[in-house]
Structures are given as structure tokens and as C-alpha cells.
Amino acid sequence: MGSTAQTGRALPATRCPRDCGPLVLMVGLLLRTCELTAAGALQPNILLIMADDLGIGDLGCYGNSTLRTPHIDRLAEEGVRLTQHLAAAPLCTPSRAAFLTGRHSFRSGMDASDGYRALQWNGGSGGLPENETTFARILQQQGYATGLIGKWHQGVNCESRVDHCHHPLNHGFDYFYGMPFTLVNDCHPDRPPEVDAATRAKLWRYTQMLALGMLTVAASKACGLISVSWKAVTGAAGLVFLFFASWYASFGFVRRWNCILMRNHDVTEQPMVLERTASLMLKEAVSYIERNKHGPFLLFVSLLHVHIPLVTTKEFLGESQHGLYGDNVEEMDWLVGEILNAVEENGLKNTTFTYFTSDHGGHLEARDEHSQLGGWNGIYRGGKGMGGWEGGIRVPGIFRWPGLLPAGRVIHEPTSLMDVFPTVVQLAGGQVPQDRVIDGRSLVPLLQGAAEHSEHEFLFHYCGKHLHAARWHDKDSGRLWKVHYMTPRFHPEGAGACYGQGVCPCSGEGVTQHNPPLLFELSRDPSEARPLTPGSEPLYHAVVARVGQAVEEHRETLSPVPPQFSLSNILWKPWLQPCCGIFPFCSCTQDEDHRET
């Protein structure tokens, strides 16, 4: 029937014996598979849209009845919606590294080893290693135009300000416009500091104590209470000033160093003007679609919405029922709608494979004295930063390709953001790398209906380098098990998040290690509210043992790699800082109407 819908030819009516039903079904699935293979030879356009910090419960198509998201909801109605779509990490940088490469972020060193859990500076030396292969690089080799509009957060430089070793253009994208970093509160002049705020507060306290000590020494010298030379006092004061300058040069100018826009290799705004950033990103995305409508293109729209500080244009302020966060979600939906309109207006809807998701769960700890500033994760426990609980990793997953993916289909199988890598590579006619472990699996058969189950029997859920949980989809029985080895300790106890800490920690005193592990059956308890015991579940020991065996087999695939989040890579280095103008006097404002032709 799929072939008939595409060609418009009517098949002659025939009578079929009742027992040929299974044969007809098999032929139909084969025809659809052949269609998709043929379409892959034609190389569809690929549009990937990723929101930032969006909770799965924030969308109407995932059960929200109070936030208006009509454009994303329509995308789901016209395509396939995944209900068990999972991020590979619960924070921005590692989740996106896994998404781009189809493999867990720790395989490339892009995850924490008990220190920093995400890149902190444009002027750091850590980032996605040059030897990692992104789906953009493979599609570029297949003849695609490859563009990235929006957030990168995978590093910029290694050894000099202009080497751009981690830059999108060095990872398979031939066009980039957006933030090499990520939105943070520091980008807004009226918001409290966010980048390494705890360290910044300590350094400021140490500076005050040292300054007070120096004033005491100077006063004592002036009063003749101590016999120290003025030269020694002046030298010590100079050292205190150098200490202050050493950290204030970075932390005192976070907005200028991190909140910038780039077009390809050039900085175009430093610092960026937040109020017009959304409109600039939209214009760039629409322009990219128009410029490349005649050839196959990959466009990755990495939205800045809905990350704090929730910069929202006046047209949407006060329009939702959920304060500033709700306003920002509804503006994000409008932006998605405008991009989808551009696809349709250029006659590309039926030749474009479109995907929408979020990089991880909503940020529960993001709040001020008035309201919640982070997302809602629906019925799922936990949120951003929590590698084991569903709320931190379960995200929207919506795919549309009219005529080739069945409209309105809902799939409850476990899938991963890492699966997008082999999926788009297959659609483009390429091959995934054979010289490394690829954790993702192509979703093509599942999306099309040619496969009943996901290829993932087991999925492993990390928080930094620590394995917090693992799930087992027992396809024979249909039961979905989840084993937790560690869980974060909420603050205050029983609160459901780690309020006052930014996000929950991955290890140390901030987590509880479970021995024996916690066991949930997600097929019956998706909220992870009722842990099973040997007394309540006869298969408890068998399930824990089987998952434990899978974990050991998984660990055999791991190998050490250079850590990209080490202190030496994380620290701000002035010689690596992207700059328009002469460093340190970096400042520019782009012409809003400038466009690359």
C-alpha cells in the first residue's frame, strides 16, 4: 500500500484466501523497506532540531494541556512519536557529544571524571577531539551541504586563538552561525552569576580576607606596631593584587568571553545582544534552507531555548500560564513552526526528514524567588543532571517524513539520541565508522514499521563516568526492567531535586550507592515510585544478575582516552579566547542584515 500511495497507480482488485494475510503483511513491509532504500539513494534533506533543557512534559503531544505548542504537536501528528527516547547523558556538553558521534561521550573524553561536568569557557582547551567522526562529516562526504545554526558547546580551540580544532567547521559542518558556548545567566547583566559560581564566590572571599590582612599590616606599620619594611608591605600588596587580577580577568568578564556569536570562523557579536538573538537565529535557519533547497542538505538547528536566562521577546512575555519559562517554551514552538514553514514554502516537506528533541530533561533546580525557571518532566522522576532517573534523560523524539514514515504512529520501544547518528548516515547512503564502538542503532526499520522492536536490549545510563543505572528490555516477555546502582541524595530530603546545588552530583557524599541495587519495572511503574524486592518480585535476583552480566560485557568495550574536562583543559586561557578586535579589547556588534551569499 505504501508503493501505491507514492505512485498514484491503483492495483487491480483481487480476492485473496484468508490464510494469505501474513504473506500480504510481509510483502507490504518489504515494499516499504524498498521505498526507503530508494529514497535513501535520492538523499533526503535532513533537518534536526534540538531544544535546550526542555522537559518532556512541556509539550502538548506528550500530555501537557496548559502550554501551547501547536507546531511541535502538528509535527508529531504528521510523523512518528517516540515515548521512550533517551539522552545518553543528563547535561549539555556530554549529551550533545554523544548525539553528534553516536557513541557515549566518555568514549571521546567528553564527560566528567569527578570534576567539571561540562565545558566552562570558550577560552578553554577541552572539546570534541579531532579524531571523532560526527554525522555531519559523513554526510559532507556524501555530498551534503552541512549547516549548524545555534548552540555548539563542544569547544573551540586547542593551542592558539585561531586553530579552531574543536570548531564545528572542523567537525564536518561547512557553515556555522551561533554560540560556540551556551546561554548562561552571566549573559544577562541583571542575573546572578552561573559559570563556576561556587569557585568564584570562594575566590572573592579569599581576596577580601587577603585585602583585609594587608590593610591590617599597613595600619600596624603606620602606627609602629610592627617592624616590617614598607617595601615588604608594598610587595605583599602587589601579590594580593596579582591574585585578584589572575581570577578576575576571567570571572569578571564572563559575558564578554562566553556570550558571543560567530559566523563560521569569525566572531560577529561580542558580547551578544540577547534581545535579538532569536530573530537572528531564525533568519539564518530560513536563509540556509533557501540557499540549499536544490541539493541535499543537513541543517542542525540547535536552539538556545529554553535554557536560562530564558531570554524571551516582548511578543511572548506574559502570554503563557507558566510565567517566564512558559513564555519561552511557547516562543520556542513558534520558532520551530517558522522553520517548518520555510521547509514547506520551499517545496521541501516531502523530501525532508525532520527530527525534534531535547538534549536532556528539564532543569528542576532552576528557580527564583517568584517562579520555576526550569522544565516539567511529566510523570518522570528527577531532572537535568541526574543520569539514572527517567526525568533527567527521557526526552521528546519526533520524526517526520511524509509518505515514508506513517503519520500518527507512536512507538514505546527504548531508543537513544545516539541512534540519530546511524539513522541519518543510512538515509544519506553512507556507512558508520567500523574502527570504533558505535553505541547507536539505526531507527529506520523501527520508524517505518519494518521492525517491531528496538535493537537495544540493554541501555546504560551514566552520570559523568559513573554508571548510575541500566535498563533491560526483555523482548520475549515484553517487560522493561531498570536497575539503579547509584541515585542522588535530594536536598532537602524528599524534595525530588538538589535545590541550592545547581544540579545533583554524580558521586561522593551526594549520592547513595545501592547494594543490592534498586529494581523497577518501567512497563508498570514508569515514575519509578515502587522499587521491587525479592519478596514482591520473584524474578528480582534473576533480573539483577542478567543486567549485571550485561554491564560487565559493556565495560569490556571501554578504553581510556584523554579527559577533555580535566582542570588544565577547563581553565580559561587568554591566548585561546575568541576575540573580535585586539585582545583584550574584544568588542563588536554585527550588522543585523549581513548575510553570507
PDB file of all heavy atoms in Angstrom, residues 40-41 43 138 142 144 424-431:
ATOM      1  N   GLY A  40      16.610   6.724   0.128  1.00  0.00           N
ATOM      2  CA  GLY A  40      17.953   6.996   0.630  1.00  0.00           C
ATOM      3  C   GLY A  40      18.912   7.281  -0.511  1.00  0.00           C
ATOM      4  O   GLY A  40      19.824   8.089  -0.396  1.00  0.00           O
ATOM      5  N   ALA A  41      18.710   6.575  -1.664  1.00  0.00           N
ATOM      6  CA  ALA A  41      19.567   6.819  -2.820  1.00  0.00           C
ATOM      7  C   ALA A  41      19.364   8.238  -3.334  1.00  0.00           C
ATOM      8  O   ALA A  41      20.258   8.836  -3.932  1.00  0.00           O
ATOM      9  CB  ALA A  41      19.260   5.805  -3.915  1.00  0.00           C
ATOM     10  N   GLN A  43      18.800  10.735  -1.380  1.00  0.00           N
ATOM     11  CA  GLN A  43      19.347  11.579  -0.329  1.00  0.00           C
ATOM     12  C   GLN A  43      18.373  12.680   0.111  1.00  0.00           C
ATOM     13  O   GLN A  43      18.397  13.790  -0.409  1.00  0.00           O
ATOM     14  CB  GLN A  43      20.671  12.205  -0.786  1.00  0.00           C
ATOM     15  CG  GLN A  43      21.777  11.180  -0.995  1.00  0.00           C
ATOM     16  CD  GLN A  43      23.104  11.830  -1.330  1.00  0.00           C
ATOM     17  OE1 GLN A  43      23.173  12.665  -2.216  1.00  0.00           O
ATOM     18  NE2 GLN A  43      24.146  11.446  -0.632  1.00  0.00           N
ATOM     19  N   ILE A 138      30.290  12.652   7.854  1.00  0.00           N
ATOM     20  CA  ILE A 138      29.937  11.591   6.911  1.00  0.00           C
ATOM     21  C   ILE A 138      28.999  12.126   5.833  1.00  0.00           C
ATOM     22  O   ILE A 138      29.153  11.837   4.645  1.00  0.00           O
ATOM     23  CB  ILE A 138      29.314  10.399   7.648  1.00  0.00           C
ATOM     24  CG1 ILE A 138      30.344   9.791   8.615  1.00  0.00           C
ATOM     25  CG2 ILE A 138      28.829   9.348   6.663  1.00  0.00           C
ATOM     26  CD1 ILE A 138      29.814   8.649   9.450  1.00  0.00           C
ATOM     27  N   GLN A 142      29.210  12.583   1.685  1.00  0.00           N
ATOM     28  CA  GLN A 142      28.182  12.067   0.784  1.00  0.00           C
ATOM     29  C   GLN A 142      27.602  13.151  -0.121  1.00  0.00           C
ATOM     30  O   GLN A 142      26.623  12.895  -0.830  1.00  0.00           O
ATOM     31  CB  GLN A 142      27.058  11.426   1.594  1.00  0.00           C
ATOM     32  CG  GLN A 142      27.464  10.172   2.353  1.00  0.00           C
ATOM     33  CD  GLN A 142      27.962   9.060   1.439  1.00  0.00           C
ATOM     34  OE1 GLN A 142      29.119   8.656   1.513  1.00  0.00           O
ATOM     35  NE2 GLN A 142      27.090   8.587   0.556  1.00  0.00           N
ATOM     36  N   TYR A 144      26.475  16.280   0.912  1.00  0.00           N
ATOM     37  CA  TYR A 144      25.521  17.165   1.560  1.00  0.00           C
ATOM     38  C   TYR A 144      26.145  18.521   1.881  1.00  0.00           C
ATOM     39  O   TYR A 144      27.332  18.596   2.243  1.00  0.00           O
ATOM     40  CB  TYR A 144      25.040  16.556   2.880  1.00  0.00           C
ATOM     41  CG  TYR A 144      23.869  15.616   2.754  1.00  0.00           C
ATOM     42  CD1 TYR A 144      24.014  14.366   2.171  1.00  0.00           C
ATOM     43  CD2 TYR A 144      22.613  15.975   3.231  1.00  0.00           C
ATOM     44  CE1 TYR A 144      22.946  13.489   2.059  1.00  0.00           C
ATOM     45  CE2 TYR A 144      21.532  15.103   3.134  1.00  0.00           C
ATOM     46  CZ  TYR A 144      21.702  13.865   2.546  1.00  0.00           C
ATOM     47  OH  TYR A 144      20.644  13.004   2.444  1.00  0.00           O
ATOM     48  N   VAL A 424      20.677   8.850  10.272  1.00  0.00           N
ATOM     49  CA  VAL A 424      20.857   9.820   9.184  1.00  0.00           C
ATOM     50  C   VAL A 424      21.982   9.394   8.249  1.00  0.00           C
ATOM     51  O   VAL A 424      21.939   9.688   7.048  1.00  0.00           O
ATOM     52  CB  VAL A 424      21.097  11.242   9.742  1.00  0.00           C
ATOM     53  CG1 VAL A 424      19.905  11.702  10.567  1.00  0.00           C
ATOM     54  CG2 VAL A 424      22.375  11.333  10.562  1.00  0.00           C
ATOM     55  N   VAL A 425      22.983   8.688   8.783  1.00  0.00           N
ATOM     56  CA  VAL A 425      24.042   8.177   7.913  1.00  0.00           C
ATOM     57  C   VAL A 425      23.459   7.181   6.912  1.00  0.00           C
ATOM     58  O   VAL A 425      23.779   7.210   5.714  1.00  0.00           O
ATOM     59  CB  VAL A 425      25.165   7.531   8.753  1.00  0.00           C
ATOM     60  CG1 VAL A 425      26.102   6.711   7.874  1.00  0.00           C
ATOM     61  CG2 VAL A 425      25.956   8.605   9.491  1.00  0.00           C
ATOM     62  N   GLN A 426      22.575   6.302   7.377  1.00  0.00           N
ATOM     63  CA  GLN A 426      21.936   5.345   6.472  1.00  0.00           C
ATOM     64  C   GLN A 426      21.089   6.059   5.422  1.00  0.00           C
ATOM     65  O   GLN A 426      21.145   5.721   4.231  1.00  0.00           O
ATOM     66  CB  GLN A 426      21.067   4.367   7.260  1.00  0.00           C
ATOM     67  CG  GLN A 426      20.322   3.363   6.364  1.00  0.00           C
ATOM     68  CD  GLN A 426      19.458   2.394   7.141  1.00  0.00           C
ATOM     69  OE1 GLN A 426      19.586   2.278   8.367  1.00  0.00           O
ATOM     70  NE2 GLN A 426      18.564   1.704   6.453  1.00  0.00           N
ATOM     71  N   LEU A 427      20.318   7.050   5.844  1.00  0.00           N
ATOM     72  CA  LEU A 427      19.459   7.766   4.902  1.00  0.00           C
ATOM     73  C   LEU A 427      20.273   8.497   3.839  1.00  0.00           C
ATOM     74  O   LEU A 427      19.824   8.653   2.699  1.00  0.00           O
ATOM     75  CB  LEU A 427      18.571   8.757   5.650  1.00  0.00           C
ATOM     76  CG  LEU A 427      17.525   8.158   6.590  1.00  0.00           C
ATOM     77  CD1 LEU A 427      16.774   9.255   7.313  1.00  0.00           C
ATOM     78  CD2 LEU A 427      16.562   7.261   5.827  1.00  0.00           C
ATOM     79  N   ALA A 428      21.468   8.944   4.205  1.00  0.00           N
ATOM     80  CA  ALA A 428      22.318   9.660   3.259  1.00  0.00           C
ATOM     81  C   ALA A 428      23.120   8.734   2.361  1.00  0.00           C
ATOM     82  O   ALA A 428      23.821   9.190   1.457  1.00  0.00           O
ATOM     83  CB  ALA A 428      23.268  10.584   4.023  1.00  0.00           C
ATOM     84  N   GLY A 429      23.016   7.425   2.604  1.00  0.00           N
ATOM     85  CA  GLY A 429      23.753   6.473   1.785  1.00  0.00           C
ATOM     86  C   GLY A 429      25.173   6.244   2.239  1.00  0.00           C
ATOM     87  O   GLY A 429      25.985   5.675   1.504  1.00  0.00           O
ATOM     88  N   GLY A 430      25.512   6.657   3.470  1.00  0.00           N
ATOM     89  CA  GLY A 430      26.868   6.478   3.984  1.00  0.00           C
ATOM     90  C   GLY A 430      26.982   5.235   4.850  1.00  0.00           C
ATOM     91  O   GLY A 430      26.043   4.438   4.969  1.00  0.00           O
ATOM     92  N   GLN A 431      28.139   5.070   5.464  1.00  0.00           N
ATOM     93  CA  GLN A 431      28.394   3.959   6.363  1.00  0.00           C
ATOM     94  C   GLN A 431      28.957   4.482   7.673  1.00  0.00           C
ATOM     95  O   GLN A 431      29.777   5.410   7.677  1.00  0.00           O
ATOM     96  CB  GLN A 431      29.379   2.961   5.746  1.00  0.00           C
ATOM     97  CG  GLN A 431      28.822   2.175   4.572  1.00  0.00           C
ATOM     98  CD  GLN A 431      29.768   1.082   4.108  1.00  0.00           C
ATOM     99  OE1 GLN A 431      30.965   1.147   4.354  1.00  0.00           O
ATOM    100  NE2 GLN A 431      29.225   0.076   3.445  1.00  0.00           N
TER     101      GLN A 431
END
